[in-house]
Amino acid sequence: MPADVVARTTGRPREACEPGAAVRERDLGVDSLAPLEVVETLQGRLGITVPDEVTARIRTVADLQDAVGSLVAAPSPSTTSEDTGS
């Protein structure tokens, strides 16, 4: 999914947005807000929050996938023992 969002946000072909591709503006030929738009889109679609310090470290689509994947897999901080049946 991150590669699809990068492609739609930047207007680049999907194959140019594969995991090894950079997401920074100089490599994709987009403005400096595009990487932030990608993160914002993924946050909305997946119901996650990507911390600013994580966003700052994202350099490639693979980095983006790793960051998003770990946040999606992590239990929500609002999950209580009642929610889990414990």
Side-chain angles (χ1 to χ4, degrees):
M1 176 190 287
D4 293 331
V5 173
V6 172
R8 271 189 248 117
T9 302
T10 63
R12 304 285 292 182
R14 171 121 181 15
E15 54 276 359
C17 302
E18 289 301 321
V23 293
R24 297 295 181 198
E25 59 275 6
R26 74 171 187 266
D27 299 309
L28 289 175
V30 295
D31 66 39
S32 60
L33 294 178
L36 299 176
E37 290 175 34
V38 169
V39 171
E40 288 286 323
T41 299
L42 289 170
Q43 289 180 129
R45 285 188 183 183
L46 301 173
I48 60 172
T49 300
V50 180
D52 291 341
E53 60 274 8
V54 173
T55 300
R57 289 191 306 262
I58 295 172
R59 299 285 182 251
T60 66
V61 176
D63 293 342
L64 179 63
Q65 288 176 321
D66 290 345
V68 169
S70 66
L71 291 167
V72 169
S76 171
S78 63
T79 301
T80 64
S81 59
E82 290 177 17
D83 296 336
T84 60
S86 301

